[in-house]
Amino acid sequence: MIPKAHIKNVGVLRAGHVEQLQRMKALGERVMKANFGDEGRYVFHFHNPPFNSIDHLHLHCFQRPFNNCLRAVQNNDFFCWTSDIDDVMKAAASKL
């Protein structure tokens, strides 16, 4: 999901962006439920700089389990290149 307003990446998010992030997550949940059912095994995350592919904030939405080892590594929040949307919202909320 991509917001209309240009936001470069997660590094520039502030408290004023939290409402937008909440809307992005809610839309992601609706889309995932409509396409994959109400299983609740969804992953919503952003790529962190310098690992982001484009300089425009966009939310990645996936359903677990991953069937591909490469996808599992690329989209795992245990590594430094991604951040879970809830963690991003907490961090943004603490920045004025």
Side-chain angles (χ1 to χ4, degrees):
M1 259 168 276
I2 303 171
K4 289 181 182 180
H6 178 69
I7 301 170
K8 185 173 181 175
N9 59 49
V10 295
V12 301
L13 293 171
R14 301 288 182 258
H17 295 109
V18 172
E19 186 177 324
Q20 174 70 43
L21 295 170
Q22 291 169 336
R23 286 193 307 265
M24 290 174 73
K25 182 179 180 184
L27 178 58
E29 289 173 341
R30 284 196 309 271
V31 169
M32 295 301 283
K33 287 177 184 178
N35 287 284
F36 301 107
D38 193 14
E39 307 233 354
R41 299 180 310 190
Y42 307 129
V43 177
F44 301 103
H45 71 231
F46 300 98
H47 283 269
N48 297 321
F51 306 104
N52 51 316
S53 56
I54 60 170
D55 281 332
H56 189 91
L57 188 74
H58 57 284
L59 178 65
H60 294 260
C61 307
F62 298 99
Q63 182 183 26
R64 287 193 177 148
F66 295 110
N67 296 327
N68 177 304
C69 292
L70 179 59
R71 289 276 183 224
V73 171
Q74 285 177 328
N75 299 295
N76 192 321
D77 292 331
F78 296 114
F79 298 105
C80 64
W81 49 78
T82 63
S83 291
D84 179 77
I85 190 166
D86 293 325
D87 295 335
V88 170
M89 283 192 281
K90 287 177 192 172
S94 69
K95 297 177 185 176
L96 298 176

